[in-house]
Amino acid sequence: MNPEDETGLKLAFKEIEDIEERDDASLDLLKKRLLGVAIVVLFFFVIIILRLWTLQITDGPEYEKRSYGNRVRIRQIAAPRGHILDRNGREIVTNRPSFDVLLIQEDSNDIGDVLKRLSPVLGVDINDLWTKVREAAGNPRYMPVRLKEDIDWQTLAYLENHNREFSGIRIEVQPVRVYHYEDLAANTIGYLGAISKKELDESDKSIYSGEDIIGKKGIERLREKDLRGKKGQSYSEVDAKGFEQKQLEKVEPLSGKEIRLTLDVDLQQIAESYMAAGEKSGAVVVMEVNTGRLLVAVSAPSIRIKEFIGGISQEQWKALLDNPKHPLINKVVQATYPPGSTYKMVTALTGLAKGAIDENTGVFCPGSYTFGNRTYKCWRHSGHGAVSLNRAIGESCDVYFYQVGQRVGVDALSEYAMKLGLGAKTGVEMEYEKEGLAPTKKWKLKNRKAKWQDGETLSVAIGQGYNLVSPLQVCVMTSALANGGKVYRPKLVEQVVDLEGTIVENFAPELVSQLPGMEKYFKLIRKGMEEVVQGKAGTARNVAIEGLRIAGKTGTAQVVRLAQYRGLKESAIPYEVRDHAWFTCYAPADNPEIAVTVLVEHGLHGGSGAGPIARAILNQYFHGKLDVKATGKVEPVIIDQDDGTIE
Amino acid sequence: MIRIDRRLIEHFDVILLLLIFLVCIMAFFNLYSASFPPRVSGLPPYVKQAYFFLMAFGAFLFVISFDYQKLHSWNYPVYVTVIILLILAETIGNTAGGAQRWINLGFFKLQPSEPAKLMLIITLASYFSRKELTEGYSIKDLIVPIVLTAIPFVLILLQPDLGTAMMLGIIFVSMAMFVRLKMSTYIVMGSLALGLGIFAWEKVLRPYQKQRIWTFLDPEQDPMGHGYQVLQSKIAVGSGGKFGKGYMEGTQGHLHFLPERHTDFAFSVWGEEWGFAGSAIFIGTYFLLILWGLYVAMYAKDRFGVLLAFGVVALIFWQAAINLCMVLGFLPVVGIPLPLFSYGGSSLMTTMIGLGILMNVRMRRFPNSLSKD
């Protein structure tokens, strides 16, 4: 069937034998347009011929010169990465040059021979060299193959003097990182590594290529853009034997921006050495109460940067993953724990704000509290007697807070916990931050498919229920209590300075939320917190420093119910089921400057397990100010237990 | 039932076949030089290319054996098959260079984006020939062909194969402009394309895909990769001078290394070894083939034939124009091969089948030459 028939054209189609031209207007029109098409084609033909004329006849001799045994080599020059300093300008991470040996296959007249002679010079097995060359088989032959990194001076001198013997071999200078304080703040600062295929695919190809070293973790990764700088290029001519003839042009690399952190090396070192001394695992956070600057961020045990330089082996990686102390996890934000008694300030604030208690509310503590058909114990089995709010915080009386919790209910507790920065990400520049949890009735229905039990509110009120907090959140909460309800976003970067010395980013406090009109409640809570350290019966009396008023709170987070271990000596309880120890504080009490939060995993008690570390930090920070003397050493004092036990 | 009609043999176009053979022979010699000395294990590229050519020529003979009018009725099954293949390539294809483009048939890696080009030509030719409007097409008349183009276009864009997707777009635009559009259509289409482009840029494209487009627009950003190749290509062609360095005498070593994408630079080897004289001869032959294709369209017996011939010519012409501009340093590297000349089975197969369609139209240019079985 001819398609023309269906279209119902004006002209009927007549079947006559072999008509050369069909009398068809529309077809003719279409064919006329072919002339226009031919003109376009011819236009391109002329353009291409003219271009060939220009390239081959006009500029031919010049191109011929360039190709006569010469080829242009474009080489990337790595940019020095920006330095990382502490708040006082002390260098934590800088660079030094590393000399690498590269092979450009295309330039080498006999790869086998060159590798054979190079092997003893580099001290690398010939098979290993071949393996490296084979691995690069998929790349164009002008791409360099890195044979050995960071050669020593003797090798470098030898290769430089005998360079005519090794065709296609080139020495490249690469900046590599130097860590002046070894693993200081390693989990925060992070490390570098070779760019992975996936990262390369998703990156900007004009900036990254397959050989690059990029930030893999921590500030190094998060601030990659600031730190990386801009590569340079050198264009040089290479003759047929693969030796560079002359440099045509060079674009110098631009080094990355310098980052000045808010961290303080001295304080960080003290915190880290205290954690390391007892092989403790956990976290230490120090924050400026009125700005949100982080002066210390310790996650113990720390990763060892050395293990990550030049890529980490599978076995090493697995060992780190399986390590029960989890060095890969940045416990400042990535680990969450029950807050224990440090939560009692939240309970107190909720009680005051909701009018369930006031400063004169007294509760009698006989050592336990019966609710429903269960008995909830106070950690001091002999009881605290009549307690006011001040004493309840100071001596961490569980019974008092059971009752407050019972009066306000769990949803109110959650509301005020959130207002103090718990149960939500703080927004700090650290990776994989966890939200933690401030439980509500709704949450339980949704996630546990069960109704909230009133008894559970009692556990939440003393920080032993479903609540989960990160050490950083506790530090933010402590700061908020100290500064009158302002929640600041914790920050790690003080300044970013570009290579001209211009400050491109400067620290500014960032207020996340605040609780107005509660100053009188905060005052009451703060007084109780002073009692903890300064009071005769405070749970952290041993933290006290002469000449400095400190306010704080101890806490114990249960790992498991300790019933089966009750009555055992502490040393007899297996490490992995021992309680976590919290201590959080701020100082000076009357005009707070910094908040210090310490969490020691399986450290048993806040006062003895975590307190001394906080004390050492406060001592370092304040000595020389406020008549505080440097002690240098802290005697741990074994003090009262403090745990809310539920039976 | 295929009855061999005496007139088919009479109308066989020897000149067309001769031009095809000329280009292929040049391509073969050039490839022999370009892939020398052999580096990779297995069959050298020129041997593989010879096998590819035999297969492609078989396909060519098959295509000229039936009347092209049949393509009207085969159009939709072919369309659906290609779309299914594209989806299959997306899901089970082997990853080549990070993109899903292949279906491995053992002896042959099928790249469904290649037949997609031909399928689109047949589809659009069939549509425009059945729907005839002398006074020009309005935007409403174009909705169907736009949708038919958009489906494979999007699938190929997702692979992501920007080069081939761009070719589909170019085929559509060429054919639509050829059949004549109303002025209003141009305006609507233009703004539609602009709007879609902005939408895709803002909402659909991933950052690295945007980066590819940026690099494409500004190759200076990537001096080690594409910029380098273009520079080397210019040096190669330029250093050929008047009469070239002679066969097998090219020194631009990096072109001897032939991973998939370097095949696009086949012409720079030719330019270096044969100089301006040889390049002019090659370009002349090549453009003669293209113009001859237009001549075939000129004498086709019906609208469908004209459109088919035009589509095939457009496909070959635009790829050649883009590839040559790239090799001569006008355009950034886009990964579009020079039809018949670059190494690669899929492209050769597509081109030869296309040329088979052209020959088919040529052989059946007289009415009554068995339009019905």
Side-chain angles (χ1 to χ4, degrees):
Chain A
M1 194 65 204
N2 254 329
E4 264 81 11
D5 290 350
E6 305 163 18
T7 53
L9 267 188
K10 300 126 272 183
L11 292 164
F13 175 70
K14 300 197 283 292
E15 286 202 22
I16 308 163
E17 286 182 321
D18 288 1
I19 307 175
E20 284 287 343
E21 288 290 320
R22 283 183 40 207
D23 191 12
D24 183 332
S26 84
L27 193 59
D28 281 350
L29 267 173
L30 204 56
K31 286 180 174 176
K32 276 212 183 77
R33 291 174 77 81
L34 283 166
L35 287 173
V37 176
I39 288 166
V40 174
V41 172
L42 282 169
F43 170 79
F44 267 88
F45 174 72
V46 170
I47 291 271
I48 285 163
I49 291 291
L50 281 177
R51 177 68 172 177
L52 281 168
W53 182 271
T54 317
L55 284 176
Q56 298 183 305
I57 309 290
T58 317
D59 301 339
E62 191 199 325
Y63 280 118
E64 192 165 7
K65 262 213 297 282
R66 283 179 79 173
S67 82
Y68 185 71
N70 279 293
R71 272 156 296 160
V72 177
R73 278 276 159 273
I74 306 174
R75 229 167 61 193
Q76 302 279 28
I77 310 168
R81 208 170 163 84
H83 294 182
I84 298 175
L85 319 175
D86 90 333
R87 63 184 317 204
N88 302 313
R90 275 178 293 185
E91 294 178 332
I92 306 176
V93 186
T94 56
N95 308 309
R96 65 170 174 81
S98 145
F99 295 90
D100 302 352
V101 180
L102 310 180
L103 164 72
I104 315 288
Q105 297 182 68
E106 193 184 314
D107 293 345
S108 185
N109 48 15
D110 185 348
I111 293 176
D113 176 57
V114 167
L115 291 184
K116 204 157 72 207
R117 284 181 300 109
L118 198 62
S119 164
V121 177
L122 297 181
V124 179
D125 186 70
I126 180 87
N127 295 322
D128 294 346
L129 293 179
W130 271 115
T131 307
K132 291 202 159 123
V133 173
R134 268 194 294 273
E135 278 170 358
N139 298 336
R141 296 175 54 81
Y142 57 83
M143 293 265 292
V145 182
R146 206 169 290 269
L147 296 176
K148 191 176 181 189
E149 292 176 4
D150 215 0
I151 52 173
D152 56 30
W153 283 102
Q154 291 90 330
T155 316
L156 176 67
Y158 181 88
L159 286 173
E160 289 287 352
N161 291 328
H162 299 74
N163 73 340
R164 303 300 292 178
E165 296 168 25
F166 300 102
S167 79
I169 292 293
R170 226 177 48 208
I171 306 289
E172 188 179 77
V173 188
Q174 287 264 50
V176 295
R177 282 304 210 197
V178 184
Y179 298 91
H180 297 270
Y181 296 93
E182 286 192 14
D183 300 328
L184 184 96
N187 289 62
T188 304
I189 289 170
Y191 50 86
L192 307 177
I195 191 164
S196 71
K197 191 159 163 32
K198 187 168 163 283
E199 285 163 337
L200 191 60
D201 282 345
E202 290 172 6
S203 73
D204 183 333
K205 294 282 186 305
S206 65
I207 297 174
Y208 292 105
S209 54
E211 288 272 291
D212 290 355
I213 301 291
I214 61 162
K216 287 280 183 186
K217 220 184 170 83
I219 289 287
E220 291 271 32
R221 185 175 85 88
L222 295 168
R223 290 283 180 157
E224 171 71 17
K225 257 204 181 94
D226 288 324
L227 291 165
R228 72 184 166 213
K230 197 167 189 291
K231 288 181 199 163
Q233 273 110 24
S234 99
Y235 297 72
S236 50
E237 302 238 304
V238 181
D239 66 16
K241 292 199 181 69
F243 298 113
E244 297 203 359
Q245 296 285 74
K246 67 167 206 276
Q247 189 148 54
L248 299 172
E249 201 186 335
K250 189 171 178 187
V251 182
E252 291 290 349
L254 304 172
S255 55
K257 300 186 184 90
E258 187 174 83
I259 291 188
R260 187 179 282 222
L261 300 173
T262 56
L263 297 181
D264 181 314
V265 165
D266 290 334
L267 296 178
Q268 181 81 17
Q269 275 183 308
I270 284 182
E272 286 187 11
S273 56
Y274 262 81
M275 291 300 275
E279 290 187 353
K280 297 185 173 82
S281 63
V284 183
V285 188
V286 179
M287 187 167 131
E288 279 188 353
V289 167
N290 298 306
T291 62
R293 282 188 178 93
L294 288 175
L295 306 184
V296 171
V298 178
S299 175
S302 148
I303 50 170
R304 296 213 162 74
I305 297 220
K306 271 207 184 68
E307 294 184 338
F308 290 90
I309 291 172
I312 189 161
S313 72
Q314 280 290 329
E315 299 88 77
Q316 276 178 312
W317 182 251
K318 205 174 153 0
L320 285 174
L321 278 177
D322 294 344
N323 184 330
K325 294 191 173 178
H326 304 295
L328 287 174
I329 288 180
N330 177 6
K331 291 166 186 148
V332 173
V333 291
Q334 263 181 283
T336 55
Y337 311 86
S341 300
T342 58
Y343 204 74
K344 285 174 181 167
M345 282 88 82
V346 176
T347 310
L349 180 67
T350 315
L352 290 165
K354 295 277 176 198
I357 51 167
D358 59 28
E359 60 182 306
N360 303 318
T361 306
V363 165
F364 183 79
C365 166
S368 66
Y369 178 63
T370 308
F371 177 77
N373 50 5
R374 289 186 54 186
T375 298
Y376 293 83
K377 281 193 159 33
C378 184
W379 67 268
R380 183 182 284 175
H381 303 314
S382 56
H384 286 92
V387 278
S388 62
L389 174 64
N390 203 32
R391 256 195 79 204
I393 296 176
E395 298 175 35
S396 204
C397 170
D398 293 325
V399 170
Y400 186 95
F401 291 102
Y402 287 145
Q403 297 203 24
V404 179
Q406 192 199 319
R407 290 178 201 176
V408 295
V410 71
D411 288 355
L413 288 174
S414 162
E415 178 194 340
Y416 279 88
M418 303 281 284
K419 282 180 174 166
L420 290 170
L422 304 180
K425 289 183 182 174
T426 64
V428 70
E429 258 190 282
M430 289 181 178
E431 296 150 297
Y432 317 114
E433 184 176 10
K434 281 215 173 116
E435 284 188 355
L437 175 65
T440 58
K441 290 177 178 170
K442 244 205 211 115
W443 168 85
K444 193 180 174 193
L445 265 182
K446 199 173 151 217
N447 292 280
R448 298 288 161 106
K449 308 278 179 269
K451 232 172 101 39
W452 187 264
Q453 305 293 321
D454 283 339
E456 291 173 326
T457 307
L458 273 57
S459 313
V460 170
I462 61 157
Q464 302 287 24
Y466 295 112
N467 357 22
L468 288 171
V469 296
S470 69
L472 182 62
Q473 286 173 341
V474 173
C475 196
V476 169
M477 172 193 87
T478 309
S479 301
L481 292 166
N483 66 26
K486 294 193 187 77
V487 174
Y488 286 103
R489 177 172 168 184
K491 287 194 171 180
L492 272 167
V493 175
E494 182 64 43
Q495 262 184 3
V496 181
V497 182
D498 71 8
L499 66 166
E500 276 117 42
T502 320
I503 297 170
V504 291
E505 184 182 324
N506 214 343
F507 177 88
E510 200 177 310
L511 195 59
V512 179
S513 67
Q514 53 183 334
L515 268 168
M518 300 219 169
E519 193 45 43
K520 57 181 186 294
Y521 305 145
F522 283 120
K523 266 205 184 90
L524 290 172
I525 292 167
R526 286 203 290 261
K527 264 181 61 187
M529 288 173 76
E530 282 173 51
E531 199 64 27
V532 172
V533 183
Q534 309 298 348
K536 285 190 181 62
T539 50
R541 299 186 296 278
N542 62 321
V543 175
I545 296 174
E546 203 187 326
L548 178 71
R549 264 189 92 73
I550 303 167
K553 185 77 197 76
T554 52
T556 303
Q558 283 189 336
V559 176
V560 292
R561 300 272 171 84
L562 282 175
Q564 67 214 42
Y565 304 108
R566 176 128 323 119
L568 285 177
K569 277 228 259 339
E570 283 170 6
S571 55
I573 301 171
Y575 173 82
E576 64 275 10
V577 297
R578 291 180 198 171
D579 296 340
H580 300 312
W582 281 106
F583 181 67
T584 187
C585 65
Y586 63 87
D590 43 2
N591 183 18
E593 282 183 48
I594 57 170
V596 180
T597 301
V598 181
L599 170 98
V600 180
E601 290 182 336
H602 313 296
L604 289 164
H605 302 298
S608 53
I613 302 174
R615 186 171 193 267
I617 291 170
L618 291 169
N619 206 300
Q620 165 67 29
Y621 185 89
F622 287 105
H623 80 83
K625 312 179 192 183
L626 306 167
D627 303 330
V628 175
K629 296 176 196 66
T631 53
K633 204 155 152 270
V634 179
E635 302 292 338
V637 186
I638 298 297
I639 45 134
D640 300 331
Q641 279 202 29
D642 153 33
D643 68 19
T645 314
I646 304 157
E647 298 203 335
Chain B
M1 259 299 289
I2 296 168
R3 301 209 318 267
I4 299 288
D5 189 325
R6 187 177 42 81
R7 279 177 306 180
L8 289 185
I9 310 294
E10 276 173 20
H11 295 148
F12 189 84
D13 190 339
V14 182
I15 293 177
L16 178 61
L17 196 68
L18 191 72
L19 287 169
I20 294 170
F21 275 1
L22 269 176
V23 173
C24 286
I25 285 163
M26 290 192 227
F28 184 76
F29 274 99
N30 186 60
L31 191 66
Y32 182 79
S33 169
S35 56
F36 203 85
R39 295 197 187 276
V40 274
S41 52
L43 289 174
Y46 61 91
V47 176
K48 277 197 196 158
Q49 190 73 353
Y51 285 133
F52 288 148
F53 181 77
L54 287 177
M55 270 197 281
F57 192 66
F60 175 90
L61 291 176
F62 168 73
V63 171
I64 61 174
S65 67
F66 58 83
D67 189 335
Y68 69 87
Q69 296 296 343
K70 281 207 175 65
L71 292 174
H72 268 311
S73 47
W74 291 358
N75 172 7
Y76 285 100
V78 167
Y79 185 93
V80 172
T81 309
V82 170
I83 297 295
I84 288 171
L85 284 177
L86 279 172
I87 294 169
L88 274 182
E90 188 70 34
T91 46
I92 63 159
N94 295 331
T95 306
Q100 298 283 323
R101 298 181 187 180
W102 312 89
I103 297 175
N104 202 337
L105 300 177
F107 64 98
F108 192 72
K109 278 189 186 149
L110 180 70
Q111 238 179 308
S113 58
E114 284 291 336
K117 298 173 191 170
L118 287 173
M119 162 213 94
L120 186 67
I121 292 169
I122 296 167
T123 306
L124 293 176
S126 172
Y127 179 87
F128 286 131
S129 63
R130 278 179 291 125
K131 193 177 176 73
E132 196 175 334
L133 296 165
T134 26
E135 68 280 10
Y137 288 72
S138 74
I139 193 76
K140 234 171 56 195
D141 307 319
L142 281 184
I143 286 172
V144 176
I146 286 175
V147 170
L148 288 174
T149 310
I151 297 169
F153 176 84
V154 169
L155 282 171
I156 290 168
L157 200 60
L158 287 175
Q159 285 186 346
D161 183 351
L162 286 172
T164 307
M166 195 172 74
M167 270 323 296
L168 291 191
I170 289 175
I171 290 168
F172 172 79
V173 173
S174 305
M175 289 185 76
M177 282 173 72
F178 180 62
V179 295
R180 198 174 189 171
L181 304 175
K182 284 190 172 140
M183 201 60 212
S184 61
T185 315
Y186 280 115
I187 294 163
V188 176
M189 288 269 293
S191 35
L192 205 68
L194 197 71
L196 262 177
I198 291 168
F199 172 77
W201 187 260
E202 294 293 336
K203 300 267 181 254
V204 185
L205 288 174
R206 301 195 193 109
Y208 71 92
Q209 287 173 318
K210 284 189 195 179
Q211 189 45 48
R212 276 186 199 170
I213 295 172
W214 276 124
T215 309
F216 167 74
L217 293 172
D218 180 15
E220 297 305 312
Q221 284 192 6
D222 186 11
M224 265 317 250
H226 296 159
Y228 178 89
Q229 290 170 29
V230 170
L231 180 65
Q232 292 303 328
S233 170
K234 271 162 68 178
I235 292 177
V237 174
S239 65
K242 293 187 189 71
F243 299 106
K245 295 176 183 170
Y247 187 51
M248 304 283 291
E249 296 295 319
T251 58
Q252 286 290 308
H254 73 279
L255 291 170
H256 288 183
F257 184 61
L258 274 174
E260 235 80 43
R261 60 205 168 96
H262 280 215
T263 59
D264 301 348
F265 286 92
F267 180 71
S268 45
V269 177
W270 182 270
E272 183 180 21
E273 294 181 347
W274 302 96
F276 180 76
S279 301
I281 289 171
F282 171 76
I283 299 284
T285 314
Y286 207 99
F287 272 78
L288 210 55
L289 175 62
I290 289 168
L291 289 169
W292 193 261
L294 291 179
Y295 174 79
V296 170
M298 204 71 205
Y299 285 93
K301 72 167 179 237
D302 58 10
R303 218 175 136 77
F304 188 43
V306 175
L307 286 166
L308 276 177
F310 172 82
V312 170
V313 170
L315 174 70
I316 295 173
F317 167 74
W318 282 118
Q319 289 187 90
I322 292 168
N323 176 282
L324 289 169
C325 284
M326 171 180 93
V327 168
L328 301 179
F330 275 148
L331 274 181
V333 176
V334 280
I336 285 180
L338 182 54
L340 295 184
F341 200 70
S342 288
Y343 171 75
S346 291
S347 163
L348 185 65
M349 189 60 102
T350 309
T351 312
M352 284 303 280
I353 292 173
L355 289 165
I357 293 173
L358 199 64
M359 181 65 93
N360 196 332
V361 172
R362 183 74 183 146
M363 284 159 67
R364 295 175 176 80
R365 65 183 178 273
F366 298 107
N368 285 353
S369 61
L370 279 188
S371 61
K372 290 173 251 180
D373 281 43

